[in-house]
Amino acid sequence: MSDEYKGILVVGEIYDGKIRPVTFQLVTKARELADTLNTNLSVVLLGHNIGEMAKEPIYYGADKVYIMDDKIFEPYVAEVYSRALSKFINNLKPEIVLIPATHTGREYGPRIAAALQTGMTADCTDLVIKNGRFVQVRPAYGGNIMGEIITPNHRPQISTVRPNVFKTKEPDKNRTGEIIQVKPEFDSIKIRTLIKEIVKTTVTGAKKLDEAKIIVSGGRGVGSKEGFEKLKELADLLGGAVGASRVAVDLGWMPKSAQVGQSGITVQPDLYIACGISGTIQHIVGMKDSKVIVAINKDPNAPIFNIADYGIVGDLHEIIPMFIEEIKRIKKK
Amino acid sequence: MNILVLVKQVPDTSDVKFDERGVMIREGVQSILNVFDQFAVEEALRLKQKYGGEVSVMTLAPEQAKTAVQKCLALGADKAYHISDRAFGGSDTLATSYALSLAIKKAGNFDLIMAGNQATDGDTGHIGPQVAEWLGIPHVSYVEQVVSIDNGKALVKSILEDGYRMVEVELPALLACLPPTNFEYTNPSMSGIIKAKSKPYIWWKADDIDGDKSKFGLNGSPTRVLKMYPPPKRSRGTVFTENYQDAVKKIVEALMEKKVIE
């Protein structure tokens, strides 16, 4: 019965007129899985006036890109996306479906699994093939435990994956693939959700936290809204973004969109520099999978030092300028 | 306005520990009402104050979860539904959302169903959207505020990674709620706790809800946990306490060697 399900499908996301980087991260990982399983890899994109963008997933390893181009998909609405995707997936019959664990993906994704009555595993931190079986690894209980989840008898097997969990490879612009237009099908076209307004709270020009490779993050120790200027200077110098602990957001020093942690954004950058952040469990859950962690804190007993690769016990107002100078010095060379 | 809030009791994740085999050490771990759910309950009660009506809460859980449900009643909810049966053991999110959707249909007509955006234990965020799918109603996730209810529609603020959306949704609808950062949770008052004891508390077994029993519990769950294990531990690295200039130099050098900065 499940034999008729073949191939891997990545659900791509278009956001602010561009394909979200997490899409390419999933395509890169899915290519590896597809090669191991000796199967094909497709991507589906929903949007309006998608145009040339459709080629991009191919550069990262997709064999086919399905395009559902219709004004109904702009702006994004969960019930429309979940209905269109459920129908599409039911027709395509892939064995594995990967969905970005963005706020939008976590909104429409679970509906698809319910509509298709199959298993879904949220926020996977790794996906592996073990003895021919698709194993989904995910944290639970605030990151205190890892679980390996399988979907033995139902197809497709659906996983969501947060941004930056997987890394992209260099795109290969000579890679070729097929682009296929699909007409969206709906069981019913009554739409009961209406987007009245979309408001961006990130500072214009600021890097998106979940897409940044380097994050300079500040907490109570930063001391003021102005104090974040120095962090921003360091972040800019490194080509990174500025994050914040919940306290810094509560105190109004940084917008909510900068909040790292359980009730904010989970990040997994190459480098996380925690400045004046003590490291509550809620914060650590949101950043502990960063490749390298640097912590600067006055308190030698701050829990953040227990997970940091490098730490300096001292005043960040003295130390951050030193980092800025040192990076500038090296850049000159 | 008839509002139903879906709630869950969870272990307090800030003191959850697991042994080397990945088995939870339950001793000394407190069970609490999932904070996302408490926010949903408080938001529902605020709506009740504004628009009138009734707030019910529902859980699908073993009997001991009554403490968490009782807290919702003490906060001001009017009525509780507690669905508890061994038949639901081992349920994943698909089976749980299916059983909840059946219980909701049996409990009556609700204008609004609310739930926490996720629970702090499983952290899947599946239940809200999946219950909505089973019921065939629209839903909005990451709802930080219900701004108004007017003319059979709710206007809500839904948080995005880089901002928010104002979304208008036709009722009945489900809202998966996320507490705003500065949200101050209410502690139930003494009189609330006393009143809660005499509020309607309805117990249902698997036989009390109509549906396909093969979709209940482990049998109705497409996913299986293969194994659980403690996450790889990050160990304490090099911590410098003096000679800051020198420390900064060494750290930057190491970061370049690791190719995390260029």
Side-chain angles (χ1 to χ4, degrees), chain A residues 175-252:
Chain A
R175 217 178 162 278
T176 54
E178 212 181 326
I179 294 174
I180 303 154
Q181 303 280 340
V182 184
K183 204 175 143 32
E185 275 183 59
F186 294 101
D187 285 331
S188 127
I189 48 159
K190 188 167 157 49
I191 301 166
R192 298 157 292 185
T193 324
L194 181 70
I195 307 300
K196 301 288 273 188
E197 196 186 4
I198 299 175
V199 180
K200 303 283 181 184
T201 53
T202 35
V203 191
T204 331
K207 274 220 164 192
K208 282 194 186 118
L209 211 53
D210 57 332
E211 292 171 7
K213 288 205 165 110
I214 295 178
I215 294 172
V216 182
S217 206
R220 191 189 291 275
V222 176
S224 66
K225 196 170 185 167
E226 293 70 40
F228 269 91
E229 286 304 313
K230 274 285 165 203
L231 271 60
K232 188 171 181 305
E233 190 181 338
L234 179 59
D236 284 346
L237 204 55
L238 294 168
V242 181
S245 71
R246 178 171 174 161
V247 183
V249 172
D250 280 353
L251 289 167

Side-chain angles (χ1 to χ4, degrees), chain A residues 28-57:
Chain A
T28 305
K29 183 67 190 183
R31 183 70 259 166
E32 255 176 56
L33 298 171
D35 290 342
T36 311
L37 291 169
N38 198 16
T39 189
N40 63 65
L41 168 59
S42 306
V43 171
V44 61
L45 287 173
L46 278 62
H48 190 42
N49 298 327
I50 298 172
E52 287 294 293
M53 266 191 297
K55 287 184 193 157
E56 294 174 27

Side-chain angles (χ1 to χ4, degrees), chain A residues 141-315:
Chain A
Y141 295 96
N144 285 305
I145 191 82
M146 303 298 292
E148 290 190 358
I149 315 289
I150 52 167
T151 304
N153 302 316
H154 294 67
R155 294 294 177 272
Q157 309 159 83
I158 308 182
S159 329
T160 66
V161 181
R162 291 208 177 183
N164 292 330
V165 165
F166 299 125
K167 305 285 175 208
T168 48
K169 286 207 182 103
E170 263 315 290
D172 173 4
K173 298 214 163 146
N174 297 317
R175 217 178 162 278
T176 54
E178 212 181 326
I179 294 174
I180 303 154
Q181 303 280 340
V182 184
K183 204 175 143 32
E185 275 183 59
F186 294 101
D187 285 331
S188 127
I189 48 159
K190 188 167 157 49
I191 301 166
R192 298 157 292 185
T193 324
L194 181 70
I195 307 300
K196 301 288 273 188
E197 196 186 4
I198 299 175
V199 180
K200 303 283 181 184
T201 53
T202 35
V203 191
T204 331
K207 274 220 164 192
K208 282 194 186 118
L209 211 53
D210 57 332
E211 292 171 7
K213 288 205 165 110
I214 295 178
I215 294 172
V216 182
S217 206
R220 191 189 291 275
V222 176
S224 66
K225 196 170 185 167
E226 293 70 40
F228 269 91
E229 286 304 313
K230 274 285 165 203
L231 271 60
K232 188 171 181 305
E233 190 181 338
L234 179 59
D236 284 346
L237 204 55
L238 294 168
V242 181
S245 71
R246 178 171 174 161
V247 183
V249 172
D250 280 353
L251 289 167
W253 299 344
M254 287 291 280
K256 165 88 180 162
S257 52
Q259 190 188 322
V260 173
Q262 190 163 53
S263 50
I265 296 176
T266 304
V267 296
Q268 211 165 14
D270 288 346
L271 173 60
Y272 190 90
I273 306 180
C275 311
I277 293 175
S278 62
T280 59
I281 176 87
Q282 288 82 359
H283 187 78
I284 286 176
V285 167
M287 47 64 79
K288 67 174 171 42
D289 295 320
S290 307
K291 202 162 146 197
V292 179
I293 297 170
V294 175
I296 305 164
N297 205 298
K298 270 187 184 167
D299 176 9
N301 299 317
I304 192 84
F305 287 124
N306 296 330
I307 60 154
D309 300 279
Y310 303 97
I312 302 182
V313 179
D315 185 359

Side-chain angles (χ1 to χ4, degrees), chain B residues 8 43 48 55 77 97 116 141 146 149 169 171 195 239:
Chain B
K8 186 183 187 187
E43 190 69 0
K48 178 190 160 178
V55 174
S97 60
S141 289
V146 182
I149 291 174
V169 62
L171 304 183
K195 272 188 208 148
V239 178

Side-chain angles (χ1 to χ4, degrees), chain A residues 15 103 107 110-111 138 141 146 148 150 192 194 196-197 199 246 259 288 290 306 308-309 311 313, chain B residues 121-122 130 133 136-137 141 159 161-162 164 166 168 181 224 226-227 229 234 236-238 240 244:
Chain A
Y15 200 75
H103 280 209
E107 186 177 51
R111 291 194 79 122
R138 77 177 302 264
Y141 295 96
M146 303 298 292
E148 290 190 358
I150 52 167
R192 298 157 292 185
L194 181 70
K196 301 288 273 188
E197 196 186 4
V199 180
R246 178 171 174 161
Q259 190 188 322
K288 67 174 171 42
S290 307
N306 296 330
D309 300 279
V313 179
Chain B
D121 55 353
Q130 296 197 323
E133 182 68 24
I137 60 172
S141 289
I159 301 301
E161 289 93 337
D162 56 355
Y164 61 89
M166 299 306 295
E168 189 181 80
T181 42
R224 289 285 181 279
L226 209 54
K227 66 170 183 180
Y229 55 92
R234 274 196 103 104
R236 196 181 167 91
T238 322
F240 301 89
Y244 295 149

Side-chain angles (χ1 to χ4, degrees), chain B:
Chain B
M1 278 290 295
N2 251 335
I3 306 176
L4 176 72
V5 189
L6 304 175
V7 300
K8 186 183 187 187
Q9 187 182 54
V10 295
D12 187 351
T13 44
S14 52
D15 55 35
V16 163
K17 298 217 164 33
F18 291 86
D19 68 14
E20 286 309 304
R21 292 164 302 148
V23 178
M24 199 198 292
I25 304 162
R26 293 204 172 258
E27 201 165 298
V29 178
Q30 281 213 340
S31 289
I32 55 168
L33 172 62
N34 176 35
V35 291
F36 292 82
D37 299 343
Q38 179 164 348
F39 168 65
V41 169
E42 293 197 33
E43 190 69 0
L45 291 168
R46 206 180 55 79
L47 293 173
K48 178 190 160 178
Q49 219 166 38
K50 207 166 155 189
Y51 302 103
E54 200 176 63
V55 174
S56 306
V57 291
M58 180 182 280
T59 198
L60 181 118
E63 283 177 26
Q64 59 264 32
K66 189 178 176 185
T67 345
V69 179
Q70 207 75 35
K71 183 177 182 182
C72 302
L73 295 175
L75 285 166
D78 302 290
K79 195 176 183 181
Y81 296 91
H82 193 147
I83 301 107
S84 188
D85 200 308
R86 274 170 174 262
F88 299 118
S91 293
D92 68 4
T93 57
L94 187 75
T96 304
S97 60
Y98 175 63
L100 279 171
S101 71
L102 297 174
I104 293 168
K105 280 184 202 160
K106 181 179 164 106
N109 290 318
F110 297 100
D111 303 298
L112 201 55
I113 300 166
M114 296 168 80
N117 196 73
Q118 68 232 48
T120 50
D121 55 353
D123 208 5
T124 67
H126 288 177
I127 296 299
Q130 296 197 323
V131 165
E133 182 68 24
W134 286 111
L135 293 174
I137 60 172
H139 92 284
V140 186
S141 289
Y142 297 94
V143 172
E144 192 183 80
Q145 191 195 354
V146 182
V147 179
S148 62
I149 291 174
D150 189 25
N151 217 355
K153 288 172 185 164
L155 180 66
V156 304
K157 180 180 179 184
S158 159
I159 301 301
L160 295 167
E161 289 93 337
D162 56 355
Y164 61 89
R165 303 178 302 160
M166 299 306 295
V167 186
E168 189 181 80
V169 62
E170 276 178 39
L171 304 183
L174 187 144
L175 305 175
C177 303
L178 178 78
T181 42
N182 52 359
F183 186 72
E184 301 218 358
Y185 292 93
T186 312
N187 281 319
S189 65
M190 214 12 123
S191 69
I193 293 169
I194 293 164
K195 272 188 208 148
K197 288 179 181 150
S198 55
K199 288 180 178 173
Y201 201 102
I202 297 149
W203 289 94
W204 281 339
K205 293 250 172 219
D207 282 337
D208 294 319
I209 56 176
D210 291 325
D212 179 354
K213 297 225 166 23
S214 71
K215 289 183 186 162
F216 290 170
L218 193 63
N219 286 336
S221 298
T223 61
R224 289 285 181 279
V225 179
L226 209 54
K227 66 170 183 180
M228 306 263 273
Y229 55 92
K233 277 212 182 78
R234 274 196 103 104
S235 50
R236 196 181 167 91
T238 322
V239 178
F240 301 89
T241 53
E242 51 186 11
N243 294 333
Y244 295 149
Q245 205 89 48
D246 190 49
V248 166
K249 218 171 166 165
K250 279 186 181 147
I251 292 173
V252 171
E253 228 164 72
L255 295 179
M256 293 193 50
E257 220 162 88
K258 292 190 176 189
K259 292 193 164 36
V260 292
I261 59 173
E262 290 154 34

